[in-house]
């Protein structure tokens, strides 16, 4: 079954990035109306409402005037509320333009942001509109309409504020696990202190600490690799089990932190973890590989059940090892110059076999 959110989000993103509208016949010569006048329209009758309520109070025509005073207070507070509401909403909608945005988010967020930011193809001329209404209960409501919506997209100021106060997002931002995994490499303490530069990041020549190198008879147990023309050389073999035991508590802590915001965990799953793509593959894509049919749904899968949390932890570790740790485990030359030298492959293999046989 088609995921409409993925289809619409990716289509809109690709259209905007392609600058397609510049080549639509007649578009640049058309009179495009992007003036939605959201605040002007919302407040056009408030002056009259204020005057009526004030006159009723001043002329003693409203008894205890509770309702009239409420109207005055609400109208006086409305501009500040509108400012806060629109700031909150635009801040949330701007997340659609962040790197690694999960296209499983409701596509209406993308459309609404295009309307607010006056993207080509989302103007009044194109059939879109935005309307802000001041409600009697001292909340405000904004409504987005247009051809891309199945139904009007409505956001209430009080509902949005309650989400933000609870540290929950309307639009989910995908956590930057690439940065956090780079930092995790350092935090695991499997590298010696001199492997880090002044910026506290691993240097290009960083090597895993010698305590994790496999030993045989007290010496490094190298793997012999064939480099062609009958020649070979040693590469370091690491005790992967020991390394995994060392890094596991750090991975557990990182996973626990991500799962503390289950919205963001779902985004990380959909964008990075589920497909198990590499960082290089993600960089080459127009959009990071989304989970598609393997997606977790914000509406249906939250809160996350324990089986999904376990699955998340497993895939997080797998992604970290394959994309960040593995490069430091593969084809690393010995630090001892003599051990790193090129040698005759056949002779070295015979010597290796003899050494192993001698210890049986």
């Amino acid at each position: 079954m088609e995921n409409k959110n993925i289809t619409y989000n990716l289509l809109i993103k690709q259209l905007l990035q392609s600058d397609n509208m510049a080549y639509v016949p007649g578009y640049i010569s058309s009179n495009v109306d992007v003036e939605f006048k959201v605040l002007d329209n919302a407040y056009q009758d408030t002056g009259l409402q204020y005057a009526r309520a004030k006159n009723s109070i001043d002329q003693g025509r409203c008894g205890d005037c509770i309702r009239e005073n409420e109207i005055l207070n609400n109208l006086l507070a409305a501009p500040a509320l509108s400012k806060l509401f629109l700031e909150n909403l635009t801040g949330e909608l701007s997340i659609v333009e962040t790197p690694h945005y999960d296209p499983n988010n409701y596509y209406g967020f993308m459309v609404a942001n295009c309307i607010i930011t006056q993207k080509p193809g989302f103007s009044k001329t194109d059939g879109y509109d935005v309307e802000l209404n001041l409600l009697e209960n001292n909340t405000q409501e904004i409504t987005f309409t247009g051809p891309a919506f199945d139904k009007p997209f409505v956001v209430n100021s009080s509902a949005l504020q309650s989400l933000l106060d609870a540290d929950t997002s309307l639009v989910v931002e995908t956590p930057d696990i690439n940065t956090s995994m780079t930092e995790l490499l350092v935090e695991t303490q499997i590298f010696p202190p001199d492997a880090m530069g002044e910026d506290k990041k691993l240097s290009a020549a960083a090597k895993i600490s010698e305590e994790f190198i496999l030993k045989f008879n007290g010496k490094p147990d190298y793997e012999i690799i064939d480099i062609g023309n009958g020649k070979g050389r040693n590469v370091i073999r690491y005790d992967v089990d020991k390394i995994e035991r060392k890094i596991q508590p750090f991975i557990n802590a990182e996973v626990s932190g991500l799962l503390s915001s289950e919205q963001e965990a779902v985004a990380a799953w959909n964008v990075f973890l589920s497909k198990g793509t590499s960082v290089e593959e993600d960089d080459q894509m127009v959009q990071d590989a989304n989970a598609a049919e393997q997606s977790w749904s914000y509406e249906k899968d939250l809160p996350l059940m324990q089986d999904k949390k376990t699955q998340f932890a497993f895939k997080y570790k797998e992604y970290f090892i394959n994309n960040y740790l593995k490069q430091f485990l593969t084809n690393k030359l010995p630090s001892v110059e003599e051990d790193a030298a090129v040698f005759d492959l056949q002779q070295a293999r015979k010597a290796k076999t003899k050494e192993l046989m001698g210890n049986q």
Side-chain angles (χ1 to χ4, degrees), residues 162-193:
S162 67
L163 284 177
L164 299 180
D165 289 344
D167 201 24
T168 302
S169 300
L170 174 67
V171 188
V172 184
E173 184 171 3
T174 306
D176 184 3
I177 68 170
N178 290 323
T179 296
S180 63
M181 285 188 175
T182 300
E183 295 170 349
L184 183 59
L185 273 174
V186 176
E187 293 167 1
T188 56
Q189 301 173 11
I190 60 174
F191 293 90

Side-chain angles (χ1 to χ4, degrees), residues 141-174:
E141 187 176 85
I142 193 165
T143 303
F144 297 87
T145 55
F149 294 104
D150 290 332
K151 58 183 180 181
F153 173 41
V154 182
V155 182
N156 180 273
S157 61
S158 179
L160 177 59
Q161 189 62 55
S162 67
L163 284 177
L164 299 180
D165 289 344
D167 201 24
T168 302
S169 300
L170 174 67
V171 188
V172 184
E173 184 171 3
T174 306

Side-chain angles (χ1 to χ4, degrees), residues 46-220:
T46 56
L48 181 59
Q49 293 171 19
Y50 187 92
R52 286 174 177 172
K54 188 73 165 61
N55 286 336
S56 293
I57 295 172
D58 291 345
Q59 295 174 16
R61 292 187 285 105
C62 52
D64 55 17
C65 298
I66 293 176
R67 177 56 186 156
E68 284 70 15
N69 277 296
E70 186 178 78
I71 290 173
L72 293 184
N73 290 332
N74 289 350
L75 289 174
L76 288 172
L81 178 57
S82 293
K83 181 176 182 293
L84 178 62
F85 179 30
L86 293 176
E87 286 176 351
N88 286 340
L89 182 61
T90 54
E92 286 291 300
L93 293 178
S94 69
I95 291 173
V96 306
E97 299 186 33
T98 58
H100 315 304
Y101 176 66
D102 179 15
N104 291 279
N105 276 291
Y106 171 49
Y107 75 90
F109 301 149
M110 177 77 76
V111 178
N113 185 67
C114 288
I115 295 170
I116 286 178
T117 55
Q118 301 181 1
K119 297 288 193 296
F122 295 88
S123 66
K124 285 181 71 70
T125 308
D126 298 303
Y128 291 93
D129 203 1
V130 190
E131 183 178 322
L132 177 67
N133 290 303
L134 313 183
L135 305 183
E136 290 186 2
N137 63 356
N138 197 30
T139 68
Q140 299 180 14
E141 187 176 85
I142 193 165
T143 303
F144 297 87
T145 55
F149 294 104
D150 290 332
K151 58 183 180 181
F153 173 41
V154 182
V155 182
N156 180 273
S157 61
S158 179
L160 177 59
Q161 189 62 55
S162 67
L163 284 177
L164 299 180
D165 289 344
D167 201 24
T168 302
S169 300
L170 174 67
V171 188
V172 184
E173 184 171 3
T174 306
D176 184 3
I177 68 170
N178 290 323
T179 296
S180 63
M181 285 188 175
T182 300
E183 295 170 349
L184 183 59
L185 273 174
V186 176
E187 293 167 1
T188 56
Q189 301 173 11
I190 60 174
F191 293 90
D194 60 5
M196 270 72 77
E198 293 182 0
D199 58 358
K200 302 300 181 182
K201 294 182 180 180
L202 292 174
S203 64
K207 289 185 178 180
I208 294 173
S209 296
E210 289 193 10
E211 66 176 288
F212 297 103
I213 295 176
L214 284 172
K215 301 290 199 306
F216 184 79
N217 287 341
K219 298 185 298 182

Side-chain angles (χ1 to χ4, degrees), residues 184 188 243-255:
L184 183 59
T188 56
I243 291 173
E244 288 198 20
R245 289 194 300 271
K246 178 70 172 179
I247 67 176
Q248 190 64 57
F250 298 93
I251 290 177
N252 291 345
E254 195 69 27
V255 168

